[in-house]
Amino acid sequence: FFLGTLTIERKAVTPNATGVSKVYDGSPNLSGLALTSADLLPGDVVTLSGSGAFGQKNVGSNLPYTLGSLAMAGADSGNYALAVSSLNGNGSITAKPVVVSGVVVAPKVYDATTSATLQGTPHIAAVPGDDVVIGGGSANFISKNAGAARPVNVGGYVLTGQDAGNYSLSQPTDL
């Protein structure tokens, strides 16, 4: 039996980042990522997180990133020490889904055709400062017959501009 003061060293933890992905937001930044580690002991309450950035801001897969702000928290985090100060890997930025808004179908008098006219200015919720323009757009009634609340097919809207590829466009519905 030994009576004295001994030190219990903190266990080294190497965090892992898997499935790193984000929806396009005009920035390469990654924040608040939940990380994992096989080094944590079962039952311990420890969370690992990281922040950093992709090497570029645009949509793509297998994009390199660096996480330089690694952190630990939780009731048992004092028993562990980060073994690395940064992580590198590859992840993806997916297209931001946007829906065309700002248009309505104009009232029509029966003319034996299904043609419909769109009114208004088409708009999408683009990231401020992005070079993306919405154009096109056409509409047709499903039926040529007169009546209230007639369904309309709307389509043909397209995005152009340097940042158009960062968006996934849905045509307007419920017009």
Side-chain angles (χ1 to χ4, degrees):
F1 176 70
F2 175 77
L3 184 58
T5 304
L6 298 176
T7 302
I8 300 175
E9 297 293 328
R10 296 181 344 172
K11 181 175 170 69
V13 173
T14 301
N16 297 309
T18 57
V20 173
S21 180
K22 74 173 208 164
V23 175
Y24 174 78
D25 63 3
S27 161
N29 296 335
L30 290 163
S31 62
L33 293 177
L35 306 176
T36 60
S37 178
D39 300 323
L40 297 173
L41 297 176
D44 278 359
V45 179
V46 178
T47 57
L48 300 167
S49 62
S51 298
F54 282 104
Q56 55 93 42
K57 70 170 189 155
N58 295 313
V59 167
S61 59
N62 204 31
L63 301 172
Y65 66 82
T66 299
L67 301 179
S69 297
L70 305 179
M72 274 193 301
D76 299 308
S77 63
N79 295 321
Y80 297 93
L82 289 169
V84 295
S85 60
S86 66
L87 290 175
N88 295 309
N90 292 313
S92 62
I93 299 175
T94 59
K96 177 182 180 178
V98 291
V99 178
V100 177
S101 63
V103 294
V104 296
V105 176
K108 174 182 174 170
V109 174
Y110 174 76
D111 66 359
T113 72
T114 60
S115 67
T117 302
L118 294 170
Q119 293 178 326
T121 302
H123 173 75
I124 61 164
V127 172
D130 269 9
D131 175 18
V132 61
V133 177
I134 186 168
S138 62
N140 287 299
F141 286 96
I142 304 270
S143 168
K144 67 177 183 167
N145 297 322
R150 292 293 187 193
V152 178
N153 284 328
V154 179
Y157 284 104
V158 295
L159 299 177
T160 58
Q162 183 177 3
D163 296 311
N166 293 315
Y167 296 89
S168 172
L169 180 66
S170 294
Q171 302 296 320
T173 58
D174 297 328
L175 300 180

